[in-house]
Amino acid sequence: MEALRKNAMNFGFILGILLIVLTTLIYSIDLSLFSSSWIGILNLVIITGFGVFSTLKYKKNTGSFMTFKEAFTSFFTTVVIGFFISTLFSILLFNFIDVEAKTIITDNVIKYTVSMMEKFGTKPADINKMVAEMQKSDSFGPLGQLKGFAFNIVIYSIIGALTALILKRDRPQSI
């Protein structure tokens, strides 16, 4: 279990650093990229990829045998550590370093949401109601970031369980 923990922690820290670098790049290039759906997809691929790679690395180190619990733990620990580091950085960036950036990003997210709702033929009254709710919430504040972290961990738990089901390989039982 110690090898599993060490492997997952190492990959988790690397993932966290990579997500900080990605966030910093997006921040320095164009704040509107934070509301881009392809950036969200890229994050999903990177985070899932690290979880899978961590699990495969552990599997290789154990002679290609790994229980569901070991596979899930490797994936989950990697993702939680990496995503938590990234969340702490985002809280620091948007609440202490550049508070104005979160206002700009929130405005961009609202514009994007309105655009999508209009494309789907949503009634103007419903759009106005949604905009009012989005303006009241502080998605980039510490509490909003931690809620987002918790929600994402639930999603990545499901992905981790599916990954563990695919990658597990129980040790043969002796008779």
Side-chain angles (χ1 to χ4, degrees):
M1 223 26 157
E2 185 60 34
L4 170 66
R5 192 173 301 120
K6 184 178 178 182
N7 180 67
M9 287 179 69
N10 286 340
F11 281 105
F13 285 122
I14 294 168
L15 174 60
I17 298 301
L18 180 66
L19 292 173
I20 287 173
V21 168
L22 184 63
T23 300
T24 304
L25 284 172
I26 293 168
Y27 172 79
S28 58
I29 293 170
D30 184 3
L31 290 176
S32 68
L33 292 174
F34 282 107
S35 59
S36 170
S37 55
W38 68 269
I39 291 293
I41 293 168
L42 178 65
N43 265 342
L44 177 74
V45 169
I46 290 171
I47 294 168
T48 302
F50 260 83
V52 169
F53 188 73
S54 171
T55 305
L56 288 171
K57 180 79 169 165
Y58 178 73
K59 184 177 183 179
K60 181 182 175 191
N61 292 342
T62 59
S64 57
F65 295 109
M66 174 174 58
T67 64
F68 174 85
K69 179 183 176 186
E70 291 169 328
F72 180 77
T73 301
S74 180
F75 184 98
F76 186 74
T77 303
T78 298
V79 169
V80 167
I81 290 171
F83 206 75
F84 187 70
I85 291 169
S86 175
T87 300
L88 290 178
F89 177 75
S90 293
I91 290 170
L92 182 67
L93 177 63
F94 297 121
N95 293 281
F96 299 102
I97 296 171
D98 188 358
V99 179
E100 187 180 318
K102 76 176 174 179
T103 305
I104 294 168
I105 296 168
T106 300
D107 289 344
N108 288 338
V109 169
I110 290 171
K111 288 176 191 171
Y112 178 77
T113 303
V114 167
S115 169
M116 292 302 290
M117 292 176 84
E118 288 172 345
K119 286 180 186 176
F120 289 118
T122 307
K123 296 176 188 174
D126 292 336
I127 292 174
N128 291 338
K129 182 179 175 184
M130 178 61 74
V131 168
E133 288 176 23
M134 290 177 77
Q135 288 172 334
K136 281 193 300 187
S137 71
D138 185 10
S139 299
F140 290 93
L143 186 59
Q145 292 275 343
L146 292 173
K147 284 180 184 176
F149 171 76
F151 175 77
N152 278 294
I153 291 306
V154 170
I155 299 299
Y156 286 109
S157 294
I158 295 166
I159 295 170
L162 293 172
T163 300
L165 280 172
I166 294 167
L167 297 179
K168 77 175 181 75
R169 183 169 175 218
D170 292 328
R171 289 160 185 80
Q173 299 291 326
S174 58
I175 300 176

